[in-house]
Amino acid sequence: EVRKLAERTQKSLGEIEINTQSLTQSINDSAQAISEQTQGIAQINEAMQELEQSVAHNTQIAATSSNISENVQKIAQDILKEASSKKF
């Protein structure tokens, strides 16, 4: 009777060890996946920051271009006004 109990206990301990090893491997796999996802998120964040900088730079260029365009239009109007006031 004691021998059977010892055998069953030994068998149960072996199964517990196998389950523990399996659980440990699953945890390690999950940790690796989380690490890879964290790296991916960091890369996405870096790309988003670069994109935001590009958008801000493009906005500044567009504003400057708009100002130049307005100035050129005013100069053109002044030239036309000056030319129409002169007689050749």
Side-chain angles (χ1 to χ4, degrees), residues 2 7 9-10 19-20 25 27 29 33-34 43 45 49 51 59 64 66-67 71 73 75-77:
V2 173
E7 288 174 357
T9 301
Q10 185 65 31
N19 288 337
T20 302
Q25 184 61 44
I27 290 170
D29 291 346
I34 289 170
Q43 290 174 345
N45 284 339
Q49 289 174 352
L51 181 60
T59 300
T64 301
S66 177
N67 287 339
N71 288 338
Q73 184 177 6
I75 292 169
Q77 288 173 347

Side-chain angles (χ1 to χ4, degrees), residues 69-87:
S69 176
E70 290 171 5
N71 288 338
V72 168
Q73 184 177 6
K74 185 178 181 301
I75 292 169
Q77 288 173 347
D78 290 346
I79 291 171
L80 286 175
K81 184 178 177 183
E82 184 70 26
S84 63
S85 70
K86 305 281 183 191
K87 292 192 178 183

